[in-house]
Amino acid sequence: MSDEKNLKIKRWTKVDSWAFISFAMGMFLEAYIFGMSSIATTWVKIPLSLKSLLLSWAPLWLIIGIAFAGPLSDKIGRKHVFYITMAMYGVGAIGIAFSYSYILILLFLAILLFGSGGEMNTIMALSQEIMPTEHRSSTMLLELNFIPLGGLVLAAISFSTAYGTKIFQREMIAVTIILVLVILIASRRYLPESFLWLASKGDEKKAKEDAIKYYGEEEYLRRTNNTKYLEDKESLDKTKNIGLKLFATLTTAFAGTTGFGLIAYVLGPIFFSSLTAVILLVASIAAFGTGFIGFFGEKIGRKNMLLWGNVGALIFTVVAYLTIGTWTKYIILFWFLVIALNAFVQLGYLAEDALKSEVWDTKSRGSLTALVRFLGIGLYIPTIYLTSSYSLNQYILFNIIVWVIGSAGAIAWFIGGKETGKGIPIEMAD
């Protein structure tokens, strides 16, 4: 029995450090690229109708990349998909630096967004499958916290270059992508393929060879024998209901994307154009600060994070609606609400992004994670057009409805779902 329990002890290796850097910077770049559409509305003169197109361009091409990469990663492997996404980053970044027209901006943003959609989906699957069990939850949450950092850096660059030429701003944004791409290329030289994915394809020999190649024989045994100590699986595996899984992940994914997007990316261009970069900056700082809760990822249950994140966001959105007449007059109250709201949004976002890549079988993890992300982000697109003609009161009221939907999914999972955090091996979480 003691030997079996020792298999729970997962040591952190140099390979894990490189994997974390690779995944964290990939998350960073996904958010950085996603937010570019909001900043790009200031690069060229465009009518309001086309401004909405540019704002919807980000989620549109993101979900196309997700739909492409999810099934592909299940078919050819997680690591091979990264070669495609990194190539698209290089082409897109160089192209955006020389985009002097609305059409070119749309074209190269589409390439970047397609790549980032596939990139993050693959990261979510591979991180769950190769990170050591005792650190799996914390590393996933901390990797996800690089998403608001990406928005924060984008906003900082945009804000600092706002008084220069638009060409300089665009070039600085493109250069940052190239610099991060160099880090991705360097770190992914040490990145193994998912051993669970290889085994799920019946290639146990390759899985063993790769594990020994990257970790050594002793560490291979620790990382591929979780089933020997899963004695309490029945009590944990109380939810196999695909309907509940889809309902909880879809509703919270929609709320997380739409709730954050309508505040961080759309509120500025539509209602407070002069504050666009500042709103993104403040929202990202609030979200990034909250994300450090990931250091306690093995102690805090996923169910609690999901519940309080969504319900908290709902409460503060209701407060914002009831006090519109006050915070539109006193800007300090406006910033307080942006900070408080985005803190809870990030709490729920971390939980739902981790959950929606945990609860599926390895063979279909990429595809089903992609399905939830495709629908969750895809439903955000029509809300951009729907709310573009709303008054501020109607706009905040719509956000309340969004968080009611997210809270319904979080409550359903809290009552009927299973705990997937707290150091539970990924083989049990699915």
Side-chain angles (χ1 to χ4, degrees):
M1 180 64 68
S2 61
D3 289 339
E4 292 180 359
K5 287 187 176 180
N6 284 336
L7 291 172
K8 287 184 178 181
I9 301 174
K10 305 295 183 179
R11 295 178 299 181
W12 188 266
T13 69
K14 184 172 74 171
V15 174
D16 297 319
S17 297
W18 282 115
F20 180 82
I21 292 170
S22 166
F23 298 153
M25 297 314 296
M27 296 285 194
F28 170 94
L29 209 50
E30 190 269 353
Y32 186 90
I33 291 169
F34 189 87
M36 283 172 59
S37 291
S38 181
I39 303 300
T41 58
T42 65
W43 289 349
V44 290
K45 292 183 179 180
I46 53 177
L48 182 60
S49 59
L50 291 181
K51 183 177 290 189
S52 294
L53 173 62
L54 189 54
L55 290 172
S56 64
W57 202 246
L60 173 63
W61 282 97
L62 197 76
I63 63 173
I64 293 174
I66 291 169
F68 174 81
L72 188 65
S73 70
D74 285 339
K75 185 174 180 60
I76 70 172
R78 320 306 191 199
K79 190 173 178 179
H80 286 90
V81 174
F82 288 140
Y83 299 138
I84 300 172
T85 58
M86 289 190 297
M88 298 186 79
Y89 283 160
V91 172
I94 294 171
I96 207 72
F98 297 97
S99 295
Y100 301 109
S101 69
Y102 184 72
I103 298 300
L104 288 176
I105 289 172
L106 287 177
L107 172 63
F108 288 106
L109 271 179
I111 294 173
L112 288 168
L113 288 160
F114 186 102
S116 64
E119 170 93 1
M120 182 173 171
N121 204 82
T122 309
I123 289 172
M124 291 169 71
L126 186 55
S127 181
Q128 299 283 16
E129 292 166 357
I130 70 169
M131 283 302 189
T133 295
E134 70 172 358
H135 303 298
R136 180 181 65 82
S137 186
S138 290
T139 53
M140 187 64 180
L141 295 177
L142 290 171
E143 288 160 12
L144 288 167
N145 200 39
F146 277 76
I147 293 176
L149 181 62
L152 194 159
V153 172
L154 174 65
I157 292 174
S158 303
F159 191 67
S160 63
T161 59
Y163 299 102
T165 66
K166 297 303 178 184
I167 295 175
F168 177 68
Q169 183 183 68
R170 189 172 64 245
E171 290 175 346
M172 287 299 297
I173 287 174
V175 166
T176 303
I177 297 175
I178 295 295
L179 292 176
V180 176
L181 178 59
V182 171
I183 297 174
L184 290 180
I185 293 172
S187 61
R188 285 174 182 172
R189 293 171 55 214
Y190 306 96
L191 192 65
E193 180 56 271
S194 167
F195 314 128
L196 288 177
W197 176 81
L198 287 169
S200 75
K201 291 294 184 180
D203 201 349
E204 288 87 356
K205 181 181 178 182
K206 176 65 173 173
K208 180 176 180 179
E209 289 174 352
D210 272 19
I212 293 175
K213 173 185 174 182
Y214 285 97
Y215 297 107
E217 185 101 29
E218 184 179 356
E219 193 67 15
Y220 157 71
L221 292 174
R222 289 189 173 92
R223 300 201 179 217
T224 57
N225 284 277
N226 284 332
T227 53
K228 290 185 179 180
Y229 64 80
L230 304 184
E231 301 168 356
D232 196 28
K233 184 170 183 178
E234 185 177 352
S235 65
L236 287 167
D237 196 18
K238 61 185 180 183
T239 299
K240 295 183 179 179
N241 189 328
I242 190 70
L244 177 60
K245 289 181 178 181
L246 286 172
F247 176 75
T249 55
L250 277 173
T251 51
T252 54
F254 165 72
T257 300
T258 304
F260 180 79
L262 289 178
I263 296 298
Y265 300 127
V266 182
L267 183 66
I270 299 300
F271 294 103
F272 307 101
S273 58
S274 63
L275 298 176
T276 296
V278 185
I279 290 174
L280 179 57
L281 181 64
V282 172
S284 298
I285 290 173
F288 182 65
T290 305
F292 284 106
I293 197 173
F295 282 111
F296 308 98
E298 306 307 332
K299 298 179 180 180
I300 302 173
R302 193 84 72 239
K303 293 166 70 173
N304 284 323
M305 285 181 64
L306 193 69
L307 178 68
W308 291 112
N310 282 269
V311 173
L314 172 60
I315 291 171
F316 272 96
T317 306
V318 171
V319 170
Y321 179 75
L322 296 175
T323 59
I324 289 177
T326 303
W327 57 260
T328 50
K329 293 180 181 178
Y330 303 99
I331 193 67
I332 188 66
L333 295 177
F334 170 75
W335 293 123
F336 169 78
L337 286 171
V338 169
I339 292 170
L341 177 59
N342 279 283
F344 280 102
V345 170
Q346 178 68 355
L347 187 64
Y349 179 78
L350 290 173
E352 63 92 1
D353 246 4
L355 180 70
K356 68 191 177 194
S357 56
E358 288 175 321
V359 294
W360 317 115
D361 182 71
T362 298
K363 284 185 178 180
S364 54
R365 191 184 313 281
S367 299
L368 289 173
T369 301
L371 174 65
V372 173
R373 296 187 68 223
F374 181 91
L375 294 175
I377 299 172
L379 291 171
Y380 164 57
I381 298 174
T383 68
I384 296 173
Y385 291 93
L386 181 65
T387 59
S388 63
S389 60
Y390 281 3
S391 66
L392 186 58
N393 290 59
Q394 292 172 322
Y395 191 83
I396 303 300
L397 182 60
F398 182 84
N399 274 265
I400 291 176
I401 297 173
V402 168
W403 289 114
V404 166
I405 294 171
S407 296
I411 292 170
W413 189 255
F414 187 82
I415 295 173
K418 65 178 179 179
E419 184 57 67
T420 56
K422 294 186 175 181
I424 294 173
I426 189 61
E427 296 92 327
M428 292 173 69
D430 64 18

